[in-house]
Amino acid sequence: MKSFRIYLFILGVLVAGQAAAQHKKTFQWIGGPTYVLQLGNFKILTDPMFSPKGDSAFMIKKHPSTGAANAYIRRLIAPAVFDTSKIDVLLVSHPHADHFDREARTALNKQLSVVAPAANTATIQEWGFAHVTGLKWGDTTVFKKGDETLRIIAVEAMHAKDDPLKTELGKGNGYIIEYTVNHKVYRVYWTGDTVWFDDMQQYTRYGKINLFIPDMGAVGSDGSIGRRGLNSPDCLKIIKTLHPDVIAPVHHSTFSMYIEPIATLQQTLDATSYGKKLKIVPAGKVVVL
């Protein structure tokens, strides 16, 4: 009888271990705005930038710092190697040249489930992707696997604060990503390319943010056209509003047009109670959440 109880105990430990492994959550930054988020059995890839290290990673219609037309942007670090198989969702904040490049359009499986801003659905379909779900701000899409649920909510991303740049850059999405298993919810907020705007204070209605992924870089802050993304003061405003458990920035250090070093965010947060929540993840490293 005693040996049978020991057997049941060992079996219970093994089953629990298998369940924990099955529902494991990890984050891997690939470079730029691209990362892989594994939430249980769901694998999410974001804004795919696969261009190699070099002087002409992509072309932008107007350089955000100099204003030069049709300017090539240098890639400073190569994209990290990662497993491109078994991707459940390709999550796109917006399809600008620095968020969805030619290399990715060629390399990725065209049968992937793509979630993107509704305004960009036709563009991504023209690139050959067959299954594109377009979301407007406030829209939701849901994926299910057994007892696991992945809920993706599109939220506003304001690429620039003032016109004409705000209108020129168009609308993009941020996303609230909710992973639920065994009635437990793990919640992620990815900003996409945005600046701070007061309506972000309403995002508290979505509930506790476990992982906050801000697009950093302060692009354009050194030019006359206008800033088109978060800087450290903006990011701190969001953090003070949402009080996330973990902060894992992306969209930094990779391309020559990223102006603000990620060390600036570290210094900014070190002066607050949030410094220890910041995880600056090296490209390619897989971090268990």
Side-chain angles (χ1 to χ4, degrees), residues 28-45:
Q28 183 185 20
W29 181 51
I30 309 305
T34 311
Y35 60 92
V36 176
L37 188 62
Q38 186 81 42
L39 299 174
N41 282 306
F42 292 105
K43 184 177 181 179
I44 303 166
L45 173 67

Side-chain angles (χ1 to χ4, degrees), residues 173-186:
N173 286 351
Y175 294 101
I176 302 290
I177 305 164
E178 293 182 345
Y179 169 68
T180 303
V181 63
N182 298 329
H183 306 291
K184 294 182 179 179
V185 180
Y186 186 87

Side-chain angles (χ1 to χ4, degrees), residues 37-98:
L37 188 62
Q38 186 81 42
L39 299 174
N41 282 306
F42 292 105
K43 184 177 181 179
I44 303 166
L45 173 67
T46 68
D47 286 1
M49 292 295 292
F50 295 172
S51 57
K53 180 180 178 181
D55 291 336
S56 54
F58 61 90
M59 179 188 286
I60 194 167
K61 291 181 179 179
K62 187 184 291 185
H63 196 287
S65 299
T66 66
N70 298 323
Y72 281 104
I73 302 298
R74 187 166 71 256
R75 183 161 193 152
L76 307 174
I77 59 171
V81 175
F82 72 102
D83 181 5
T84 58
S85 68
K86 298 180 181 179
I87 296 168
D88 294 289
V89 183
L90 175 59
L91 189 58
V92 179
S93 66
H94 61 303
H96 284 175
D98 60 325

Side-chain angles (χ1 to χ4, degrees), residues 40-250:
N41 282 306
F42 292 105
K43 184 177 181 179
I44 303 166
L45 173 67
T46 68
D47 286 1
M49 292 295 292
F50 295 172
S51 57
K53 180 180 178 181
D55 291 336
S56 54
F58 61 90
M59 179 188 286
I60 194 167
K61 291 181 179 179
K62 187 184 291 185
H63 196 287
S65 299
T66 66
N70 298 323
Y72 281 104
I73 302 298
R74 187 166 71 256
R75 183 161 193 152
L76 307 174
I77 59 171
V81 175
F82 72 102
D83 181 5
T84 58
S85 68
K86 298 180 181 179
I87 296 168
D88 294 289
V89 183
L90 175 59
L91 189 58
V92 179
S93 66
H94 61 303
H96 284 175
D98 60 325
H99 285 258
F100 204 145
D101 62 15
R102 185 178 302 171
E103 286 81 359
R105 296 199 294 271
T106 300
L108 289 172
N109 185 340
K110 300 304 186 294
Q111 299 304 311
L112 285 175
S113 293
V114 183
V115 177
N120 305 128
T121 299
T123 295
I124 297 172
Q125 288 172 334
E126 287 171 4
W127 292 342
F129 291 89
H131 307 289
V132 185
T133 300
L135 299 184
K136 297 179 181 178
W137 298 336
D139 287 350
T140 297
T141 189
V142 175
F143 299 85
K144 294 189 75 69
K145 286 188 177 185
D147 62 347
E148 299 171 87
T149 301
L150 186 72
R151 182 173 179 235
I152 299 175
I153 309 163
V155 296
E156 182 176 357
M158 187 183 292
H159 209 323
K161 185 176 181 180
D162 300 314
D163 279 324
L165 184 61
K166 178 180 175 183
T167 299
E168 288 174 2
L169 293 174
K171 288 185 176 181
N173 286 351
Y175 294 101
I176 302 290
I177 305 164
E178 293 182 345
Y179 169 68
T180 303
V181 63
N182 298 329
H183 306 291
K184 294 182 179 179
V185 180
Y186 186 87
R187 192 173 288 109
V188 181
Y189 170 39
W190 173 35
T191 64
D193 274 8
T194 191
V195 295
W196 163 266
F197 53 94
D198 289 344
D199 282 353
M200 281 183 165
Q201 296 173 82
Q202 298 179 17
Y203 293 173
T204 55
R205 70 180 183 270
Y206 293 109
K208 175 66 178 176
I209 300 298
N210 302 104
L211 175 63
F212 173 48
I213 306 175
D215 277 13
M216 298 302 297
V219 176
S221 58
D222 61 338
S224 60
I225 302 172
R227 178 164 57 88
R228 55 182 74 188
L230 291 175
N231 59 11
S232 291
D234 271 9
C235 190
L236 181 57
K237 286 181 182 179
I238 301 173
I239 292 166
K240 285 183 174 180
T241 299
L242 300 178
H243 307 291
D245 291 331
V246 177
I247 304 153
V250 297

Side-chain angles (χ1 to χ4, degrees), residues 1-8:
M1 188 67 176
K2 182 177 179 181
S3 60
F4 181 68
R5 286 198 299 268
I6 293 173
Y7 167 77
L8 289 178

